[in-house]
Amino acid sequence: MKIADKLLNLVGVGRERGLPPPRLVAIADGLLVTERSAEAWFLISVANTDLATEGEQDAALDAAVSAAATILGDRLSHLKVVWGRSTGQDYIDSIAGHYRIGDHEGWAQTRADRIDEMRMPERYVALGVHLSDRDPRATAQVRGSISDALGTTSWRVSARELAHLDERVHKLARQLGSTVWRAHTAPAEVISWLISREMHRGAVAAPRRGLITGASLARLTSGRVVPYTDHLRIYDSRGQIAAYTSVLAMTDFPEELETPGAGEWLRTLSEIKAIDDDGDEIDVTVEASVRFRVLTKKTARHLVDETRKSAKEQRRSAAKGTAEETADEIVETERIMREVKRDINRSGLTLVEDHPRLLVSADTREDLEAYVDAVVAHYADRGITVAAGADEQRDLWLESLPGDQLRVPDLGHVRESTAFFGSWFWGGASIGDATGPSIGYLTGSTPGLVRFDAAAGSALGDATTTLFLGRSGRGKTTAAMLGGLDSAFAGAWVPLLDLKGDAAGVSAVAAEYGVPTAVIEITAQFSGAADLLRVLPVDDALLQAPSQLMLLLPPHLRGAAEAPVMAATRAEIQSPDPSSWGVIQRLCAAESETTRTVGFALRDLVETGLGSVVAGPPSGLSSLTTNPGLWVVQMPGLTLPSPESAPESWSPIERVGMACLRGCLAWMVRTTGRREFRGRSKVVIVPEVHLLTKTPDGASFLDYIARVGRALGASLVLDTQDPASILKLPGLVEQITTLFAFSLRSREQVDSLLELLGRPQTAPYQTLVRGINTAANGKSIRHGHCIMRDRWDEVATVQIDIPSQRVAELLRTTPESEHDLEPTQPILAPYEDPDPFAEDDEDRANALQPAAAATAQAEAHTQDPTQDAPLPSVPVVETSSHHAPTSTSHTLSNGVTAPPPPPPPNGVDHHHPPRYEEPIGPSEVYDQEADEASYNEAMYPASDPDPTKSNNSSGKKEHVA
């Protein structure tokens, strides 16, 4: 070191402070080249740590420390935590080709508009690693000034040098990609964005090409930055102040920091809040720039020895003084250095030298001061001192630029690796599918969109069951309906079994966007629709139809009825159009008085109400369609027995309800396995599934669909208030890929939910479940807020978000408004915006709507009885355009005539012709005909299946097409 350099260091002005700004030469994928050096740049994936256990965090932290010591040892590295913004256009681009039918462009645009409205930040964690120094002449003299900010040069990077650097980048990428950071090379446009945003502090479109040089770099780095004592002013191309920025240094840390907790000093950047003039909390956007070096053992031992020797010299010098007393700090430093060296040699302790900086920006000077105060206070609560770099703003800001170097070395720290990586710069919240529709957003420490595709399991070769759990009125059914809508727009067949009778609103949304849909009420007008002799193939029906009829009989007749019912079924099945009604007529016409008594008892039950749906005279009408679209199947008046009651004690209405449910479930199961239906995606939605799990038939249905759903291309979407009953179905639990958990109260249900989430049943997690739907004020419900576990077993908190107020209003259809056909004008309370997630009866009573409008909506989406059209061998979807203003009605592909839907939302026509050139669904299908015995056993365990078939069914579960 020259004497001049030593003198500069003594007065706190090192040679680094006088270096010119970096002059860029080239930017490529993962590579930044300046006159002085070449750097590799990577993007670090967000780790999902917000709800991780301490054991999981400790294991990840140890893995990070080990990887850093191995890969980054003695390398100059630059960590940047910056914020972008999610945009609606990016979302539309990301789902291009996903939706297929209806006004899918309008649906996607509705969600995109909502994303733009939320202005949601998106965190990027970038890691730069020094590869090599380039030209020593670049460090000679100070050239340019801060008014120029960044410069460009006519120097070129040779193809040979570029190839060599690119090879080193890819080698590092392979190493870092296998660590807990899951790093990947940063695209060239992202690197250029990291640079240009520092010049403009705004959204600047980056050049989109593989290698950026010359004029592109000049445009990228053009700007003007003027430093002041405690801040910088950044000017735009018109000479106006674009932003005020202050660079803060983290000057002092406590001796010990706990993690999880205050030690996560970089993860908590998104948690910093300021108070505005109205007293409300607002988010403060804080970015971080940390230059660091992981010290190898050799370097660390040398540094420790130098520090110990310096302390020793100070102690000896003090002993020779007049006081002959040594400062306690000097003695303590000498002792600690000896211990640190021992730990380095024995236990593999690694050290990190780091220089953390925080960057805060605002539109006005007053806002900047308020934001800086908020940052200082936030870290003061954690024992960390943060201060604006007085008279150092220029060098601290240049230091934060990619391609530059450390300029203020005296504002740094040397600490154990665990203390540095325990900042959890890569920690936060990350969950959901990598692609597909957005269903909401993260509410953890790293905001972002949450993507969820209910039908994605089959395509991924994964299980296919999604579960929504929680108390009534918290938003679980609404979330399930949103998932069903996205699947319907993607071309799936989406039946929704509405046992509670409040899900008709989802059909209204589908109709508004041109998706084939209907609300189907299973009533007497559909006589015979749930008749197993008509729903199932002959071989299955011969076995299962008698079981369905036996359900209807009172207990005292069942013993004598089994043989006559089976005989009548065998005779009826030979007729051209067999039906359970024909079986009953044969029983009534029998010579035996006992047999006639059985027939008359059955006839009395099936000639009224839901009984006719099970075994009444065939009307020739079918309410159940297999065309793509969203079909809400309602069963008004369905009463199911309690799980504690024995079949002998069931009332007639409970026996009819069970028989009707059995017929409907058999239709759904049979439909999902039809040969001509295999190439189509199928999503079966069952709200309030606890009404099914308490019945043998319902439990068998859920278990069967869940187990074979992947091969069938059938996904199961369930919502329930009773996680304890789900745990009693191990076959179903094994197939759950995605779970949305809303609040519960009782200890049994909370612990059952935590078991399904894979979280420990401890007080912190129990408190989280109980309060997940409680608003911050503790006095209101936070509808739609939940804990999500995705198919990769990641767990995070999520807010389900309805894309527009119009969609929220349509989804909020109440049972009263659906079925009240007498127009009346209620007395309305003062208008309040309806809560889109409210589902409790109490909530509905407080949100009255004009009955006339509700009646019109019910009429528009309730299907009239129609003749069932034969299904073609290759399903074809025909959806009429709802944009033609002269049309008075349109016909859906299943023959249902419905009134013309309203104009497209927002007054914008986003119609795009649907595409059906390729089949919708997975490449793997299930051969149900080859596995009839397994089907029978799964659906009807109480019956007596043919033992020979059972013995032949093993090993024939799935077949690959």
Side-chain angles (χ1 to χ4, degrees), residues 367-588:
D367 287 345
L368 178 64
E369 292 176 354
Y371 295 168
V372 168
D373 290 344
V375 174
V376 172
H378 173 83
Y379 282 102
D381 291 341
R382 290 156 174 78
I384 300 172
T385 303
V386 175
D391 298 318
E392 298 275 12
Q393 290 295 299
R394 171 194 183 275
D395 296 302
L396 290 175
W397 178 77
L398 287 172
E399 188 183 278
S400 71
L401 297 176
D404 205 89
Q405 67 179 65
L406 181 66
R407 291 174 176 267
V408 189
D410 45 308
L411 295 179
H413 310 273
V414 176
R415 62 183 106 199
E416 294 182 17
S417 294
T418 51
F420 176 75
F421 292 104
S423 65
W424 279 99
F425 53 82
W426 78 99
S430 175
I431 202 168
D433 295 330
T435 59
S438 169
I439 197 172
Y441 54 88
L442 290 161
T443 58
S445 57
T446 50
L449 296 178
V450 175
R451 296 177 184 268
F452 165 67
D453 185 358
S458 294
L460 295 173
D462 197 4
T464 58
T465 300
T466 300
L467 193 59
F468 294 85
L469 287 162
R471 300 170 63 199
S472 177
R474 268 49 183 175
K476 60 185 186 300
T477 301
T478 302
M481 290 191 294
L482 286 172
L485 280 167
D486 282 317
S487 298
F489 277 106
W493 173 66
V494 186
L496 191 153
L497 184 58
D498 185 14
L499 300 178
K500 197 167 68 170
D502 63 350
V506 69
S507 181
V509 177
E512 177 138 323
Y513 285 89
V515 173
T517 185
V519 176
I520 305 160
E521 293 186 352
I522 305 298
T523 57
Q525 61 184 336
F526 295 110
S527 182
D531 184 349
L532 291 182
L533 274 175
R534 302 182 67 217
V535 171
L536 299 180
V538 172
D539 291 342
D540 287 343
L542 180 61
L543 185 64
Q544 307 306 335
S547 176
Q548 185 183 39
L549 292 175
M550 295 290 289
L551 264 179
L552 297 173
L553 288 171
H556 69 277
L557 289 178
R558 290 178 188 169
E562 184 173 355
V565 170
M566 179 63 75
T569 302
R570 290 185 178 276
E572 175 65 16
I573 212 165
Q574 304 301 321
S575 64
D577 187 18
S579 67
S580 293
W581 176 252
V583 173
I584 293 174
Q585 296 305 306
R586 291 177 184 273
L587 293 172
C588 291

Side-chain angles (χ1 to χ4, degrees), residues 779-818:
K779 302 295 183 181
S780 58
I781 298 174
R782 187 177 182 182
H783 297 288
H785 195 231
C786 60
I787 307 166
M788 179 181 178
R789 192 204 80 188
D790 66 11
R791 67 180 69 252
W792 318 115
D793 290 330
E794 300 285 358
V795 181
T797 56
V798 169
Q799 177 65 52
I800 305 299
D801 187 65
I802 299 179
S804 72
Q805 186 61 36
R806 172 63 177 165
V807 173
E809 292 170 354
L810 292 174
L811 287 178
R812 192 183 165 79
T813 301
T814 63
E816 293 80 5
S817 64
E818 289 177 37

